[in-house]
Amino acid sequence: MHPAPSLILFTTLSGLGFGLLAFLCLGLPDARGLTAVLWFGAGFALAGGGLLASTAHLGNPQRAWRAFTQWQTSWLSREAWLSVMALAAAGGVALGRVFFDLPMTGLGPVATGLALATVASTAMIYAQLKTVPRWNHWTTPALFLSMALAGGALLAGQMTVAPVLLLLAGAVQLLAWRTGDGRFAARGHGLASATRLEGGRVRSFAPPHTGSNYLLREMVHQVGRRHARKLRSLALIFGFLAPALLCLTAHPLALVLAVLSHAGGAMAGRWLFFAEAEHVVGLYYGYHEAGAR
Amino acid sequence: MVQPTLDLSPAVSDEVRKTTCYMCACRCGINVHLKSGRVTYIEGNRDHPVNRGVLCAKGSAGIRQVFAPSRLRAPLKRVGPRGSGAFVEISWEEALETAVSWLAPLRESAPEKLAFFTGRDQSQSFTSYWAQAYGTPNYAAHGGFCSVNMAAAGIYTLGGAFWEFGQPDWEHTKLFLLFGVAEDHDSNPIKIGLGQLKARGAKVIGINPIRTGYNAVADEWVGITPGTDGLLILSLIHLLLKAGKVDLDYLAQFTNAPCLVNMDPESPDYGLILTDDEGRALVWDRVEQRPRCYDKPDVTPDLAGAWEVDGITHRPVFHLIAERYLDPRYAPEAVADTVGVSAARIRALAGQIARAFDAPVEIDQPWTDFRGRRHPKMTGRPIAFHAMRGISAHSNGFQTARALHLLQALLGAVETPGGFRFKPPYPKPARAHPRPHCKVTPGQPLNGPHLGYPQGPADLCLKDDGTPARIDKAFSWENPLSAHGLMHMVIANAHAGDPYRIDTLFLYMANMAWNSSMNTAQTMAMLTDRDANGEYVIPRIIYSDAYASEMVAYADLILPDTTYLERHDCISLLDRPICEADAAADAIRWPVVEPDRDVRGFQSVLLDLGARLGLPGFVAEDGSAKYADYADYMVRHERRPGVGPLAGWRGDGADHGRGAPNPDQIAKYIENGGFWTAHVPDEARYMKPWNAAYQAWAVKIGLVDVEMPYLLDLYCEPLRRFQAAAEGRGPIQPPEALRDRLRRAMDPLPDWTPPFGEEVDAEAYPLHALTQRPMAMYHSWGSQNAWLRQIHGVNPLYVPTDVWAREGFAEGDWARVTSPHGQITVPVAHMAALNPRTVWTWNAIGKRKGTWGLDEGAPEATKGFLLNHLISELLPPKGDGMRWSNSDPVTGQAAWFDLRVRVEKCAAPGRGEAAPGFPALARPGGTA
Amino acid sequence: MTALPDRVEKKLGLVIDLDTCVGCHACVVACKGWNDQGYGAPLSDQDPYGAAPSGTFLNRVHSYEITPPDAPAQIVHFPKSCLHCDDAPCVTVCPTGASYKRREDGIVLVNESACIGCGLCAWACPYGAREMDADAGVMKKCTLCVDRIYNETLPEEDRQPACVRTCPAGARHFGDLSDPGSEVSQLVAARGGLDLMPEMGTKPVNAYLPPRPKADAAPEFDVLAPFLEPVAEDAGGFLGWLDRTLSKMPG
Ligand SMILES: Nc1nc2c(c(=O)[nH]1)N[C@H]1C(S)=C(S)[C@@H](COP(=O)(O)OP(=O)(O)OC[C@H]3O[C@@H](n4cnc5c(=O)[nH]c(N)nc54)[C@H](O)[C@@H]3O)O[C@H]1N2
Ligand SMILES: Nc1nc2c(c(=O)[nH]1)N[C@H]1C(S)=C(S)[C@@H](COP(=O)(O)OP(=O)(O)OC[C@H]3O[C@@H](n4cnc5c(=O)[nH]c(N)nc54)[C@H](O)[C@@H]3O)O[C@H]1N2
Ligand code: SF4
Ligand code: SF4
Ligand code: SF4
Ligand code: SF4
Ligand code: SF4
Ligand SMILES: [Mo]
């Protein structure tokens, strides 16, 4: 899939933001007053900024409100509702904490739940797609959630759980890669099932147009295997291992470094999440077939 | 939420105007939809005889052609050096007066110094009429570089050809063999026909080195080695003769198989057919045991034996055929290696033909033949063949096409149910066509039509000193039967001054500076070459194009044409009409939209020029222009009394075929959807050459003036006359150097010789290189079309598996391709469904930078390429230093497909651009 | 309307005959031409005369090569547009309800005035049948020419999709695949019509008729041999046969 910057930004930032809010709403840390403004401000900025970035991906953003209508069937619609509800609930918590010095222990867990549900619904947008076998698996929500939790913990300065969550997220990421790599072939997708042509080896002889098209730009993206391996290592190191280690030092500067490292690593991971995802439509154009280009 | 309510019945347009497509030469009927006067949608016309509603990709994309930025805007005068593309826009008055100032003095002094050649045009009866009135012998259309082999072989053998004038009996055939066709002019009819065969479960066999398109859907594919079809066909004939699977009754009645050939080498008529005093062929009557005229009602022609008549031994043609083709050199085992098809496959092919032969088709339709005999039924064999340039565009193409026609005739599958059918105005034997004319008288018209069908050396176009009278050397000893001229030789000959120099080259609708020339780079050099005085060797070039093609940059004066939706055109029975086997038909184009630029329909411009030059037929008695414009000509011109460009609604509107001019004729055509048809009567549908009902009908509607039944010419006497001359017989003798080759080439019975390309070093150039027409592109025109160029914007060289592996090619690689004439560097792609000794690419996708209204970075100009850079109009020098033209020695047909090459992997070129590259051309002054 | 209808009254769709398709792209351009001026936004082109032309098409024709182990390779031309799936994932993912399946005939459509251009439906389609128009920012797809097939301003015979009407080879068939008696259902039954990517569970309505087996691997040598039995072994014998046969012919 095309690794659109808007989508990479959206998913990483909103994941971090909702992760942070999830912790803040539980009172971790127990910020009040001006400090709460800063913490929550950061959470809203990340979550909201991410959502805003996602509208850059739309062809007609002025109609974005319509995305709320199909919550019964559409994960994107559910995500829209959940994000608004999560932001509202977190907003309530934030109001209480900033202005009224109220811990909001009733609304807090609800907000946290909504924030995590938002992240899960974002993940489900991808995980539901049978057309992208790499995503179409429980590891996708597991990855998004564990990333949000780890990033959230890190941002929220939860130095004891953060390293654990980071390592856990790293493990989920590794698992997602390991299981994802063979899933396309394992599901039996190939040019033979795509075309139902029989009698010998089938290969794409000529594309329908020598010019490019939306499908190729959007859904057929090829990453060199060596390139991908290098990026995976970087994502692992910067996204999980380095911040986990930095957490242990407990130095404030280290914390800043850990956050930056994690964000960078997460972005790389998210880039790979899209770029490595093989859409079955690529088969029709001669891609993704075992032995094909 | 509820489902949105849709408007399920939106009005498609405010108005539909029906005209004829010209996105290619197939000439389908189209419905052009307009909203507020603007073209919004084009679809096929269901009532139209050619396409019956369907439309190809190009046809539907016509809407993008009328809006293309490449359209020329106004007449242009060259201001920079030739080839620079620097022009200024001028008025039509200045353009026409400039042309007149060049052409008028020439006509008075040396009319042959004007060479007028037209390319993809469909008004040849009109353009040739103009050229004849002007008085130059130097006129032809594009047939010489296209498929004259197909036309000439068909007409000399059967009295009609595959090329545009015939079609398989789609309704009845059960076995269809398609030789060397990627697309053909009959684009939509062939596809409709193939669809019909598929729906009926009839069998389709594709004989083609490349398995795309029609050959991809064929049930069986014979991946023949290019240039060897003749040998394969003669091997089939060998097997079928041997098995007695030949229609003796048909041969005896309807072909010259029983005609008697003089076998006495001492006789002046050696090799000629015995005739009576009136020149009618004689056959041996089995019952009466004496020679009798072939058309006697009770004649019983014999096909075997040898008889003495007046002391000279004569044998029937069939006897010669049996003797020739039963020879073991045509046995499958003997030809298999050359043809690249195993002996077993050849046998299987012949076996399938034989099986179909044994299951005749009968139609319960009584008919009467020209001898006056009544037949209760029409009987034929369900075996149809079709062929085009895969056979035609080789230097042995004429005889290969003759071989195929011989096979058809032996099977009794010509003009019989299930076989091959003529479309009116055919059948029409070679004898009934005009002969070529070339007598020039300054200030006067030519002594007759330029092109025709020579019957012997006396009909050649030679000057008194025996040198060619025509600039293209058509109808000379180098290519005696060049019935369509040799457009591909005009520039080379004019540049070389061989046979003489010309003053003005006048081209219409032909992209000669690019894809329609062999050796493109040299052609451009010839067009810009100057003599010692600094004058251009070809002093003046006038060109009419509608778009900013490569050729525009090489002309001095541009007469910009309209697009096909903006002018009157006439698709006439006098020319290349749109008839189908069951109907005579013609059609018009009319301006369904008005041009938004200062352009004029070329035919109207030619009428204007004719009037300004005072050409007979173009001026009225008072010296004024005879016709207001082309529409006026279409209605009022009469070629013969009562016969004009359009056959429908003549006289008061009730006459068809013949009748006085009708001022309302065009309105009638428009009312009827832009075309006219006349159905062939049921009794006349088959057996047309011999069918009394057809012959009478053809005269009645004006296709011909007299009935002319004839026999199919299996043995081709005109060829024999040239062969006899080469043997030293007769008063008109060929040059010594050509005797041998004429003796071989002008064989009255078809034979196979290796194509000229085989004479190059087969080790240095082991591969055949071919082009194919993409179905969604027309030559160079398609690339200016925003929709079509997305489908075919680049053209890789397709390479067979062995070569792919040997060179270690991978996707995205480049290759250096070398022929005896040049070298190109191009992208490659792999294809397994390909003859292992063949490479190929799509034709005419490559473009010169800066042309066709495209950006300089357009993929057509950076990665697209032509094979033409590798082909030359002259062959490498012979032992005696002579350079023969790269053409069929019989007809002069350009041998595009004789090309041999070598392919080597090479590094991707620096800028990722195919080589050779040429400097970008400036956009000619005014493109739209 | 993101939910699929529980029942559709008809299943209108296309049957595409791969044994007959010559790969001419006529259907591609006819579709472009019709839909450029028909349902919804025009099908735009970007950089139409430039270095990288690209545009929206609702129907495209691929070409595939099959290499059997023991016979010459084959080329198959393969047109592809929306298959109007029964279980259309492109519909259920849509957050706005713009993507829907019509109850009356099963046609899958995009209501362009509700489409936000998120692209998710195109991601959900396994077949590459949806293309986002770069100018209009809305999702375009084959409409099965819903503005033709019921169009009362058109003559009855023209109430069929533009691609079907134009296909010169007659390789495209349109009809109701829920009616076993329809011409299209009969074709599917007779020729073993196939679904694309059945493992996706989309249950396409459109079906593909596979290429008939080629005869080039094994011509029926034995069956054919008797048809070529020589009438004589040498030319002399052949003329003898000729004489005998001519004598038997009615004069
Ligand atoms: N390598 C290779 N070369 C080949 C062939 C091949 O198979 N292989 N095929 C050969 C054959 S068979 C042919 S017929 C030739 C064809 O070659 P050409 O006859 O040169 O065909 P086009 O390239 O279409 O060029 C025709 C010109 O007509 C112009 N034109 C288009 N419409 C109009 C109009 O309405 N009015 C006017 N006045 N001009 C118009 C176009 O802009 C173009 O410049 O190519 C030959 N060249
Ligand atoms: N779409 C479209 N239609 C066109 C045109 C176009 O440019 N585009 N051009 C028009 C013109 S001018 C012409 S002349 C016609 C030509 O129509 P076609 O005759 O179909 O011409 P080509 O595309 O040159 O195809 C020649 C075929 O012959 C095969 N071939 C080559 N050599 C041999 C051989 O030795 N033996 C056999 N058996 N096959 C061989 C090639 O593989 C190819 O498939 O098309 C006309 N129609
Ligand atoms: S075949 Fe296509 S381009 Fe040619 S006339 Fe017919 S519709 Fe037009
Ligand atoms: S129009 Fe018909 S034959 Fe041509 S590509 Fe489309 S389906 Fe195939
Ligand atoms: S083909 Fe694709 S777009 Fe069409 S209904 Fe099926 S899933 Fe949806
Ligand atoms: S692009 Fe439009 S139709 Fe597709 S899912 Fe998004 S809103 Fe729905
Ligand atoms: S049915 Fe209509 S919209 Fe669909 S592919 Fe055919 S022409 Fe295009
Ligand atoms: Mo041609």
Side-chain angles (χ1 to χ4, degrees):
Chain A
M1 304 292 291
H2 171 60
S6 61
L7 287 183
I8 294 169
L9 269 179
F10 155 57
T11 55
T12 24
L13 294 188
S14 72
L16 279 172
F18 283 111
L20 174 56
L21 290 175
F23 280 94
L24 292 180
C25 290
L26 288 179
L28 300 168
D30 190 4
R32 310 278 169 107
L34 221 54
T35 14
V37 171
L38 287 176
W39 283 116
F40 277 95
F44 286 124
L46 286 168
L51 288 177
L52 219 61
S54 78
T55 60
H57 180 70
L58 300 182
N60 277 292
Q62 78 283 5
R63 302 184 193 135
W65 61 270
R66 290 183 181 272
F68 288 90
T69 57
Q70 305 302 314
W71 53 272
Q72 286 174 309
T73 42
S74 164
W75 279 108
L76 183 47
S77 201
R78 288 171 195 152
E79 186 215 32
W81 275 111
L82 285 166
S83 62
V84 169
M85 282 162 33
L87 288 178
V93 176
L95 280 181
R97 287 181 165 268
V98 173
F99 297 110
F100 307 107
D101 198 20
L102 285 173
M104 305 293 285
T105 41
L107 191 56
V110 175
T112 299
L114 285 169
L116 292 179
T118 305
V119 173
S121 67
T122 305
M124 283 312 292
I125 296 173
Y126 303 104
Q128 70 176 331
L129 295 173
K130 277 195 196 164
T131 50
V132 186
R134 192 182 281 283
W135 293 346
N136 184 225
H137 196 247
W138 61 264
T139 47
T140 299
L143 178 67
F144 275 56
L145 276 172
S146 63
M147 291 282 290
L149 285 171
L154 192 60
L155 283 176
Q158 302 304 307
M159 301 318 258
T160 33
V161 283
V164 180
L165 287 173
L166 278 165
L167 290 178
L168 184 74
V172 175
Q173 175 68 85
L174 261 179
L175 189 72
W177 281 334
R178 289 294 291 275
T179 58
D181 281 346
R183 199 171 300 124
F184 195 96
R187 295 234 172 131
H189 307 311
L191 203 41
S193 90
T195 62
R196 305 299 302 280
L197 293 173
E198 287 178 357
R201 201 174 91 72
V202 183
R203 94 184 161 96
S204 166
F205 169 64
H209 287 62
T210 57
S212 187
N213 64 28
Y214 167 78
L215 299 165
L216 288 170
R217 286 189 298 269
E218 182 77 0
M219 279 168 262
V220 183
H221 193 267
Q222 295 285 98
V223 212
R225 206 165 296 167
R226 201 150 7 114
H227 186 56
R229 220 178 304 136
K230 215 186 293 164
L231 259 180
R232 279 187 183 186
S233 316
L234 290 178
L236 265 188
I237 293 166
F238 287 101
F240 310 104
L241 297 178
L245 279 175
L246 285 167
C247 281
L248 299 180
T249 67
H251 191 280
L253 193 66
L255 189 63
V256 175
L257 272 180
V259 169
L260 289 179
S261 166
H262 172 73
M267 294 267 198
R270 217 29 74 82
W271 187 88
L272 282 168
F273 177 78
F274 288 101
E276 284 193 297
E278 306 94 340
H279 195 289
V280 290
V281 77
L283 289 168
Y284 287 106
Y285 287 85
Y287 297 92
H288 314 323
E289 179 74 343
R293 15 185 176 170
Chain B
M1 207 197 219
V2 282
Q3 268 182 209
T5 337
L6 301 177
D7 177 6
L8 294 176
S9 293
V12 179
S13 53
D14 334 321
E15 195 188 348
V16 181
R17 297 186 166 187
K18 300 190 178 196
T19 181
T20 308
C21 184
Y22 193 31
M23 294 295 285
C24 90
C26 182
R27 300 155 295 175
C28 302
I30 49 175
N31 304 341
V32 181
H33 290 258
L34 298 129
K35 273 187 192 158
S36 319
R38 208 178 142 85
V39 182
T40 50
Y41 178 58
I42 299 177
E43 68 188 344
N45 178 350
R46 277 195 190 273
D47 306 320
H48 199 276
V50 172
N51 56 316
R52 291 178 256 164
V54 308
L55 207 62
C56 84
K58 298 163 279 137
S60 297
I63 182 168
R64 293 263 70 84
Q65 210 83 350
V66 263
F67 302 127
S70 52
R71 286 167 303 149
L72 298 175
R73 221 169 45 194
L76 297 171
K77 184 173 80 178
R78 179 173 61 78
V79 288
R82 240 191 231 160
S84 68
F87 288 95
V88 287
E89 288 189 5
I90 55 174
S91 69
W92 273 103
E93 191 53 31
E94 183 181 348
L96 290 165
E97 279 311 313
T98 306
V100 168
S101 73
W102 296 350
L103 297 177
L106 275 191
R107 183 164 192 262
E108 294 311 316
S109 54
E112 73 278 8
K113 289 198 177 292
L114 167 68
F116 179 34
F117 282 76
T118 90
R120 320 249 20 80
D121 139 61
Q122 298 162 11
S123 49
Q124 287 160 27
S125 78
F126 169 67
T127 50
S128 65
Y129 182 73
W130 187 95
Q132 204 181 313
Y134 183 90
T136 178
N138 293 322
Y139 166 85
H142 75 289
F145 62 42
C146 183
S147 298
V148 61
N149 270 342
M150 203 41 79
I155 287 169
Y156 274 109
T157 312
L158 306 178
F162 288 141
W163 183 21
E164 295 195 57
F165 299 121
Q167 68 185 48
D169 186 359
W170 300 114
E171 206 183 319
H172 297 105
T173 197
K174 297 202 185 95
L175 179 64
F176 178 52
L177 287 90
L178 185 66
F179 283 79
V181 183
E183 170 70 352
D184 207 337
H185 286 91
D186 247 1
S187 304
N188 281 327
I190 288 187
K191 294 181 187 78
I192 296 171
L194 280 172
Q196 264 173 278
L197 297 190
K198 285 282 177 179
R200 278 202 290 117
K203 179 151 189 190
V204 179
I205 301 181
I207 296 101
N208 198 309
I210 310 166
R211 196 180 205 176
T212 51
Y214 305 159
N215 296 285
V217 299
D219 301 289
E220 196 176 323
W221 175 59
V222 180
I224 193 167
T225 297
T228 65
D229 301 71
L231 204 49
L232 173 68
I233 294 161
L234 295 179
S235 188
L236 296 176
I237 289 178
H238 171 90
L239 290 169
L240 292 164
L241 268 176
K242 226 172 157 175
K245 303 292 183 191
V246 285
D247 192 332
L248 298 179
D249 185 38
Y250 179 94
L251 289 167
Q253 290 194 65
F254 304 130
T255 75
N256 73 358
C259 293
L260 297 171
V261 180
N262 180 323
M263 299 308 296
D264 180 359
E266 301 308 315
S267 158
D269 294 334
Y270 175 50
L272 298 183
I273 285 175
L274 182 68
T275 59
D276 63 12
D277 294 343
E278 285 156 46
R280 287 176 307 172
L282 297 177
V283 300
W284 190 262
D285 193 299
R286 265 180 88 78
V287 179
E288 302 195 2
Q289 287 295 304
R290 65 179 178 100
R292 294 183 69 200
C293 188
Y294 77 97
D295 62 358
K296 292 276 176 275
D298 58 342
V299 72
T300 317
D302 204 342
L303 292 173
W307 296 281
E308 216 163 282
V309 183
D310 299 334
I312 291 177
T313 304
H314 289 80
R315 283 156 63 185
V317 164
F318 189 71
H319 199 156
L320 304 182
I321 288 176
E323 193 166 76
R324 167 86 62 100
Y325 304 111
L326 286 171
D327 192 287
R329 73 188 153 115
Y330 299 111
E333 288 71 17
V335 307
D337 277 352
T338 311
V339 171
V341 181
S342 73
R345 277 301 290 287
I346 298 175
R347 280 179 200 283
L349 274 177
Q352 299 191 67
I353 296 172
R355 180 168 60 187
F357 178 87
D358 282 352
V361 191
E362 284 188 344
I363 297 182
D364 276 325
Q365 171 64 60
W367 66 287
T368 306
D369 72 22
F370 67 100
R371 296 183 175 101
R373 295 188 211 176
R374 188 80 179 153
H375 300 258
K377 287 184 165 125
M378 292 175 162
T379 309
R381 314 281 172 169
I383 313 161
F385 299 83
H386 187 73
M388 253 308 272
R389 292 187 66 257
I391 280 184
S392 196
H394 289 285
S395 55
N396 58 10
F398 176 82
Q399 292 289 18
T400 298
R402 286 244 316 131
L404 188 50
H405 295 318
L406 173 63
L407 171 59
Q408 293 176 282
L410 290 172
L411 294 168
V414 177
E415 262 300 323
T416 51
F420 167 65
R421 307 181 67 191
F422 294 126
K423 305 178 190 180
Y426 288 82
K428 193 171 166 189
R431 279 183 301 283
H433 285 255
R435 306 195 181 179
H437 292 77
C438 63
K439 177 137 182 25
V440 172
T441 315
Q444 294 298 315
L446 199 71
N447 63 332
H450 303 86
L451 304 175
Y453 287 79
Q455 295 301 309
D459 294 334
L460 290 177
C461 289
L462 301 175
K463 293 202 214 160
D464 293 341
D465 62 1
T467 59
R470 290 177 51 109
I471 186 70
D472 57 358
K473 305 191 188 178
F475 309 111
S476 74
W477 287 106
E478 287 187 34
N479 19 250
L481 307 186
S482 36
H484 291 178
L486 281 79
M487 181 137 182
H488 54 295
M489 296 309 295
V490 174
I491 292 171
N493 292 357
H495 175 259
D498 171 20
Y500 48 80
R501 294 210 176 280
I502 60 166
D503 178 84
T504 301
L505 177 62
F506 187 0
L507 295 174
Y508 166 45
M509 221 192 266
N511 202 5
M512 295 304 288
W514 199 244
N515 55 292
S516 49
S517 274
M518 295 173 157
N519 207 336
T520 310
Q522 258 185 41
T523 304
M524 291 187 276
M526 291 176 204
L527 291 170
T528 50
D529 194 20
R530 296 177 197 252
D531 61 18
N533 304 324
E535 302 295 328
Y536 286 116
V537 175
I538 301 175
R540 292 181 173 123
I541 302 178
I542 307 175
Y543 181 44
S544 168
D545 201 313
Y547 308 105
S549 69
E550 283 84 355
M551 182 61 211
V552 167
Y554 292 87
D556 308 317
L557 179 64
I558 299 288
L559 306 173
D561 204 348
T562 67
T563 70
Y564 70 108
L565 295 179
E566 299 163 322
R567 66 170 178 252
H568 280 102
D569 266 328
C570 176
I571 297 119
S572 166
L573 284 172
L574 301 176
D575 203 324
R576 298 162 69 193
I578 52 162
C579 307
E580 291 294 304
D582 285 327
D586 63 13
I588 63 162
R589 276 183 210 104
W590 56 288
V592 296
V593 285
E594 287 300 326
D596 56 356
R597 319 169 296 295
D598 192 15
V599 296
R600 293 186 186 171
F602 177 70
Q603 289 95 335
S604 291
V605 169
L606 206 54
L607 283 166
D608 193 340
L609 272 179
R612 287 173 195 245
L613 289 165
L615 304 186
F618 291 78
V619 282
E621 259 144 48
D622 64 359
S624 64
K626 186 161 176 191
Y627 303 104
D629 56 15
Y630 195 49
D632 190 27
Y633 168 93
M634 281 156 60
V635 170
R636 287 203 297 123
H637 175 71
E638 282 180 284
R639 198 48 70 88
R640 310 189 300 273
V643 175
L646 293 171
W649 300 285
R650 301 192 65 84
D652 59 4
D655 297 346
H656 294 281
R658 295 173 189 271
N662 170 11
D664 294 332
Q665 197 179 23
I666 289 188
K668 284 287 188 189
Y669 271 81
I670 292 175
E671 213 174 285
N672 194 53
F675 65 94
W676 164 86
T677 50
H679 283 275
V680 177
D682 282 349
E683 193 182 335
R685 284 182 64 211
Y686 292 90
M687 326 302 282
K688 287 172 185 153
W690 321 289
N691 185 326
Y694 176 81
Q695 295 286 331
W697 180 79
V699 172
K700 188 179 134 229
I701 70 156
L703 296 176
V704 286
D705 290 333
V706 287
E707 297 187 16
M708 47 180 164
Y710 62 93
L711 301 178
L712 306 186
D713 286 315
L714 307 189
Y715 186 87
C716 184
E717 223 180 359
L719 286 172
R720 172 59 203 159
R721 295 197 188 103
F722 286 98
Q723 189 184 44
E727 290 164 4
R729 295 166 204 274
I732 309 173
Q733 286 293 303
E736 268 334 293
L738 290 173
R739 272 188 203 282
D740 269 356
R741 124 171 174 166
L742 280 164
R743 237 190 323 255
R744 248 182 304 135
M746 308 305 277
D747 194 328
L749 284 179
D751 215 334
W752 182 81
T753 43
F756 289 154
E758 298 301 298
E759 291 168 15
V760 304
D761 181 355
E763 279 188 19
Y765 308 101
L767 300 170
H768 299 261
L770 303 177
T771 54
Q772 295 202 105
R773 308 291 190 258
M775 292 179 186
M777 276 281 170
Y778 198 62
H779 295 284
S780 53
W781 311 359
S783 297
Q784 64 196 317
N785 190 295
W787 293 350
L788 299 178
R789 70 185 290 255
Q790 292 182 53
I791 300 176
H792 290 290
V794 288
N795 56 316
L797 184 81
Y798 289 102
V799 172
T801 305
D802 286 355
V803 181
W804 187 261
R806 189 196 66 215
E807 293 295 316
F809 280 129
E811 195 114 0
D813 277 352
W814 291 69
R816 195 166 40 241
V817 186
T818 315
S819 81
H821 305 285
Q823 193 169 75
I824 57 177
T825 307
V826 301
V828 290
H830 173 214
M831 182 178 194
L834 178 59
N835 173 287
R837 290 165 57 197
T838 301
V839 295
W840 72 280
T841 192
W842 295 119
N843 187 44
I845 298 299
K847 296 281 136 43
R848 175 123 176 225
K849 277 188 188 161
T851 56
W852 298 102
L854 302 180
D855 292 356
E856 284 185 19
E860 293 90 337
T862 55
K863 284 196 165 147
F865 66 93
L866 299 179
L867 281 191
N868 301 48
H869 304 306
L870 299 177
I871 310 176
S872 173
E873 60 284 321
L874 294 176
L875 296 169
K878 295 262 162 197
D880 59 4
M882 241 188 70
R883 292 195 69 182
W884 288 359
S885 93
N886 185 12
S887 306
D888 187 297
V890 181
T891 60
Q893 154 93 56
W896 304 96
F897 294 160
D898 280 0
L899 177 63
R900 298 293 297 254
V901 299
R902 132 177 110 244
V903 172
E904 296 150 299
K905 183 171 167 173
C906 69
R911 286 180 304 166
E913 297 191 2
F918 297 92
L921 288 171
R923 286 203 181 201
T927 41
Chain C
M1 276 314 302
T2 286
L4 291 163
D6 9 301
R7 211 182 61 82
V8 290
E9 282 152 39
K10 277 186 187 168
K11 296 184 184 181
L12 295 186
L14 301 175
V15 170
I16 294 170
D17 187 349
L18 298 180
D19 193 58
T20 302
C21 171
V22 296
C24 67
H25 296 265
C27 52
V28 174
V29 185
C31 172
K32 176 102 174 173
W34 174 258
N35 289 289
D36 195 41
Q37 57 86 54
Y39 183 97
L43 305 181
S44 70
D45 298 298
Q46 283 66 48
D47 200 14
Y49 304 102
S54 163
T56 312
F57 284 78
L58 310 184
N59 176 33
R60 296 182 185 256
V61 180
H62 296 252
S63 301
Y64 298 108
E65 187 176 68
I66 309 177
T67 310
D70 50 1
Q74 303 162 24
I75 299 285
V76 178
H77 301 291
F78 196 99
K80 190 160 56 58
S81 51
C82 172
L83 311 170
H84 299 281
C85 308
D86 269 355
D87 235 327
C90 57
V91 168
T92 48
V93 296
C94 176
T96 63
S99 187
Y100 68 104
K101 188 170 176 72
R102 281 159 54 88
R103 196 171 295 117
E104 49 273 58
D105 50 21
I107 297 178
V108 174
L109 282 182
V110 173
N111 173 5
E112 292 179 11
S113 55
C115 172
I116 57 173
C118 66
L120 193 54
C121 53
W123 288 14
C125 169
Y127 309 107
R130 293 181 166 237
E131 299 192 15
M132 181 98 74
D133 188 79
D135 271 7
V138 294
M139 192 55 72
K140 303 292 304 190
K141 68 175 293 300
C142 158
T143 64
L144 209 61
C145 288
V146 68
D147 49 351
R148 289 186 64 91
I149 56 178
Y150 303 111
N151 194 327
E152 282 163 11
T153 72
L154 295 176
E156 183 90 47
E157 55 184 0
D158 277 346
R159 292 181 204 160
Q160 50 167 292
C163 57
V164 174
R165 186 190 189 281
T166 213
C167 175
R172 305 174 75 88
H173 306 266
F174 163 72
D176 180 4
L177 285 128
S178 71
D179 168 8
S182 69
E183 183 223 324
V184 278
S185 300
Q186 302 269 310
L187 267 174
V188 168
R191 296 272 308 281
L194 294 169
D195 289 351
L196 304 185
M197 285 198 200
E199 76 274 16
M200 281 290 163
T202 49
K203 303 205 209 104
V205 170
N206 285 11
Y208 285 77
L209 308 180
R212 293 182 173 101
K214 301 286 175 189
D216 35 35
E220 322 139 89
F221 294 114
D222 306 342
V223 184
L224 293 171
F227 290 101
L228 289 181
E229 211 53 62
V231 290
E233 275 316 314
D234 55 10
F238 179 80
L239 292 177
W241 165 83
L242 185 58
D243 205 49
R244 288 194 301 281
T245 317
L246 288 171
S247 306
K248 277 185 272 172
M249 267 169 27

